[in-house]
Amino acid sequence: MKLKQALITAFLLTLVGVTIWELYWRTQTDYYIAYLEDDRNQWAEERAKVETATSEDVILIGMSRTGYNLNTHVWEATQGIDPIKLTINGKLPGPVLKDVINNTDFNGTIVLGVVPIGVFGSKKGFRYRVAQEWVDHYYNRTNAQKLGHILSKPLQRNLVLLSSSENKGYNDLDLKSLIKTITLDDGRVPSNDFKLVRIGYNDEDRNLIMYDRLVDNIKYQKEITDQWDKALPGLPAYSEKTEKNVTESIKELISLTKKLKDRGGKIIFIRHKAEDGWLKHAEKNMPKAKAWNKFVEQIDAPTYHFQDYDFMSKHYLPDWSHMSAKDAKTYTKDIVNQLIKDGHLTKH
């Protein structure tokens, strides 16, 4: 009897504690919202659409800028085609691009968002390896993993306390992330100097959406840009090693582009905007003249750079790197109309 009472008491205390925890985070609306987390399982569901895609379909590939800046709902309303969004926040796009071109018969249009360090840089780092893991997960996921993802969706949609991501933010609410915020003055647990909090969330079509707190609030903007000021100066200057990576990457992109075009497909490369606070460090690491311009000269495909078009550069990026939700809608409509005007997309 005592054991039964103890179990009931423990259950009730746990329920009360979890309820209080959830209710508290629901009040922190500047930072948290209940949503379906965009992990490798959600990405795999989107990737499956490629298997039945036609020559009229569009696939969006890239990192977080393509995730935030291109909105699939606006794209569909403008062109009449709902794009397949295979962007991966914080991961390099190379494994995804190679998977679509080498492992499928897709002969539609690929739009690749280009962040030079992510597209022309080394293929040996953590972010490239994890992107490859997402691709591998699509092929290797088990029925149990598929079922677990399906069963988790109602909980994720309704509980803020489940806010976390494989692309870790400093303010994620999972236990591992919370423990990492703990430091001890005696030096036994070192401080995490890079405290980049989450800037947005995703809808169920995998569009990344910036939190409203960032749009017009300098305090919240500095919370992000101050972290970039700590991290970005550490990018290495352009070197012979960098040049070798650029040359090898361009060669690979030329080969992939040819393979796609040979079966009737096409690819469009888009260099999204970055503010000067970010761009000055990116230019030191991979100058436009030595990477992007070199690429444009050699690739047989349409290329768009934000410095060449007013509509691509007119929006201010609150965190120096990504567009607000409102600006992303305008930007998406403008870029789709430009691609239609230039004959690279067909309006349906």
Side-chain angles (χ1 to χ4, degrees), residues 41-326:
N41 295 295
Q42 190 70 8
W43 183 89
E45 288 187 356
E46 189 77 359
R47 167 64 180 80
K49 297 178 183 179
V50 180
E51 307 300 346
T52 56
T54 71
S55 59
E56 294 184 347
D57 281 301
V58 176
I59 298 177
L60 306 180
I61 298 175
M63 300 174 69
S64 57
R65 287 178 193 167
T66 303
Y68 277 98
N69 296 359
L70 296 181
N71 183 290
T72 59
H73 306 301
V74 175
W75 191 295
E76 182 179 19
T78 307
Q79 190 205 359
I81 295 293
D82 183 13
I84 300 169
K85 197 161 194 180
L86 296 183
T87 55
I88 304 182
N89 188 11
K91 313 297 186 297
L92 305 191
V96 179
L97 180 66
K98 287 192 284 187
D99 174 50
V100 172
I101 294 178
N102 291 334
N103 300 329
T104 77
D105 296 323
F106 180 71
N107 62 349
T109 301
I110 294 175
V111 176
L112 180 68
V114 177
V115 176
I117 193 173
V119 173
F120 305 130
S122 172
K123 308 298 187 291
K124 298 179 181 179
F126 169 78
R127 296 182 185 277
Y128 190 91
R129 175 173 58 79
V130 176
Q132 185 61 57
E133 289 176 2
W134 282 41
V135 172
D136 294 342
H137 178 74
Y138 168 70
Y139 293 102
N140 301 329
R141 58 192 173 138
T142 65
N143 290 330
Q145 288 173 319
K146 294 178 184 178
L147 179 61
H149 179 56
I150 292 171
L151 295 176
S152 73
K153 288 182 178 182
L155 295 175
Q156 291 185 53
R157 290 179 178 126
N158 293 284
L159 293 176
V160 175
L161 63 83
L162 294 179
S163 297
S164 65
S165 171
E166 291 190 48
N167 187 40
K168 295 297 182 183
Y170 180 75
N171 62 327
D172 282 352
L173 296 179
D174 61 287
L175 181 59
K176 185 177 181 180
S177 297
L178 291 171
I179 289 175
K180 284 185 175 181
T181 65
I182 299 173
T183 60
L184 297 179
D185 292 337
D186 61 7
R188 284 180 294 165
V189 181
S191 172
N192 179 7
D193 291 331
F194 189 60
K195 300 178 180 179
L196 189 66
V197 299
R198 192 165 302 286
I199 66 168
Y201 61 97
N202 57 272
D203 66 18
E204 296 198 17
D205 292 307
R206 306 194 66 254
N207 296 298
L208 290 171
I209 301 168
M210 183 177 286
Y211 284 122
D212 289 339
R213 75 172 192 268
L214 283 165
V215 178
D216 296 314
N217 192 310
I218 295 178
K219 172 189 171 183
Y220 287 135
Q221 292 172 7
K222 279 183 61 61
E223 187 176 36
I224 305 299
T225 57
D226 284 354
Q227 296 304 310
W228 292 137
D229 270 338
K230 292 180 183 178
L232 292 175
L235 288 175
Y238 191 82
S239 63
E240 290 184 6
K241 182 179 179 180
T242 311
E243 186 169 3
K244 181 181 179 182
N245 287 332
V246 170
T247 300
E248 291 176 351
S249 297
I250 291 175
K251 183 178 179 180
E252 182 178 53
L253 287 168
I254 290 172
S255 176
L256 290 170
T257 297
K258 183 178 185 305
K259 185 172 184 178
L260 179 64
K261 292 180 69 174
D262 285 348
R263 63 176 185 242
K266 55 186 170 183
I267 185 168
I268 302 165
F269 298 91
I270 295 177
R271 173 73 164 95
H272 302 294
K273 181 185 177 181
E275 295 294 343
D276 289 341
W278 178 293
L279 190 61
K280 64 183 179 183
H281 299 292
E283 275 292 296
K284 178 193 72 173
N285 171 257
M286 203 167 283
K288 180 174 181 281
K290 295 183 178 181
W292 175 263
N293 291 356
K294 183 178 178 181
F295 168 69
V296 171
E297 290 171 0
Q298 298 181 50
I299 197 72
D300 184 19
T303 58
Y304 291 81
H305 193 288
F306 71 90
Q307 292 177 334
D308 299 329
Y309 295 87
D310 289 340
F311 77 88
M312 295 181 71
S313 61
K314 69 182 181 181
H315 302 290
Y316 178 71
L317 313 180
D319 71 330
W320 292 352
S321 188
H322 309 92
M323 291 187 184
S324 69
K326 179 181 178 181

